[in-house]
Amino acid sequence: NFGAKGDGLTDDTKAFQDAAAAGGSTLIPAGKYIINARIFVTKNSTVFKGEGSGLTTLYFPKSIQDLEGGCCYGQGPGLIQITASDVGMEGFTIEFPPTNYLGHWNEKGYNGIEAEYDYKNLWFRDITVINSDTAILLSGTDQSTLDGIRLQGRYGHHGIDLHFQADRNFVTNFIVEADFMHDITVQQSSYNVFSKGKGMADFQFDHHAWSPTPAHHNLFTDIDCGVCANPWASGGAADQ
């Protein structure tokens, strides 16, 4: 028991920082938890388990820019930052304030989860992210599973972003209800599988053409992309 209240009023930041520092498995009961700082998960086999994305909410009122200054946080870092392997996150919602999107590379950094380079065997299950700039970002993270991810709220930059050699990951049972500049991204990332997903009418599988090492051998199967007007539209340089 790390002393979090989950009453939607109390600042529960220290409780979550202490839980992350301790490692191991932490049950997050139903409630709304106010978190006013970044949470760093640095120990292998750490698990945060809520009682369900409809019951447990982690509310982050401050962006990366609010906390650290600077500019342009459209692609990480995360308010929950993972630098460890065998980490699990399950059964909760990450919510941000309903702010306006400030434009491409002007984002304040309402970013959900980022897992960093060379870590593997992570799992994220039954996670909803609301009002994000970037919802979930795997930066060079391998052999991990995203199951039951739901993205809601305002327009943002990246929905689910696998980049910089995030290889051999499995993303399934996802629903992208929010609109993003790049809904699903595989940037320099290969051998990933995306299945049983659903997106909005302009849902896109972005391969980010500027990347010096192109993405390849990614499988997209059993996905409802609405009218699929331009599903392979990609960011990056037009001449690549």
Side-chain angles (χ1 to χ4, degrees):
N1 186 342
F2 295 96
K5 301 295 184 183
D7 57 11
L9 299 172
T10 303
D11 185 345
D12 288 319
T13 304
K14 187 176 186 304
F16 278 85
Q17 291 175 327
D18 289 348
S25 297
T26 299
L27 174 65
I28 311 171
K32 184 174 183 177
Y33 299 84
I34 308 299
I35 304 175
N36 283 300
R38 298 177 67 193
I39 304 300
F40 295 91
V41 178
T42 60
K43 291 190 175 180
N44 292 345
S45 303
T46 298
V47 175
F48 278 5
K49 184 174 183 179
E51 292 198 61
S53 59
L55 296 173
T56 300
T57 297
L58 311 187
Y59 184 74
F60 290 85
K62 297 180 180 180
S63 67
I64 298 292
Q65 186 181 80
D66 294 330
L67 296 170
E68 300 182 0
C71 174
C72 314
Y73 296 106
Q75 199 172 20
L79 272 300
I80 298 176
Q81 194 78 15
I82 299 172
T83 53
S85 293
D86 304 303
V87 169
M89 301 271 161
E90 176 179 0
F92 56 82
T93 289
I94 298 171
E95 184 177 358
F96 303 110
T99 58
N100 293 326
Y101 182 64
L102 297 181
H104 194 214
W105 291 119
N106 289 311
E107 297 89 352
K108 294 187 67 175
Y110 289 107
N111 302 324
I113 298 170
E114 180 181 17
E116 289 192 37
Y117 300 92
D118 299 324
Y119 298 99
K120 60 185 63 178
N121 300 329
L122 312 179
W123 51 269
F124 307 95
R125 185 182 300 121
D126 184 24
I127 302 289
T128 295
V129 185
I130 302 175
N131 298 325
S132 63
D133 288 321
T134 291
I136 297 180
L137 175 63
L138 302 187
S139 301
T141 306
D142 294 341
Q143 301 172 37
S144 297
T145 299
L146 285 71
D147 186 355
I149 306 301
R150 191 173 193 129
L151 309 183
Q152 299 177 332
R154 64 152 170 89
Y155 185 88
H157 188 193
H158 284 275
I160 298 173
D161 184 2
L162 279 56
H163 77 176
F164 300 152
Q165 298 178 325
D167 300 331
R168 296 176 293 276
N169 298 289
F170 181 44
V171 183
T172 189
N173 297 314
F174 58 90
I175 302 177
V176 181
E177 298 177 18
D179 192 11
F180 290 91
M181 184 175 297
H182 314 295
D183 298 285
I184 300 292
T185 300
V186 284
Q187 178 179 333
Q188 293 181 262
S189 299
S190 304
Y191 308 110
N192 298 290
V193 175
F194 297 82
S195 75
K196 298 180 181 178
K198 183 176 182 180
M200 295 182 64
D202 60 348
F203 189 70
Q204 297 172 355
F205 309 104
D206 172 43
H207 285 62
H208 247 63
W210 70 264
S211 302
T213 305
H216 59 89
H217 289 85
N218 293 291
L219 174 64
F220 302 87
T221 182
D222 194 15
I223 296 173
D224 178 358
C225 59
V227 298
C228 282
N230 200 10
W232 304 110
S234 294
D239 61 346
Q240 297 188 32

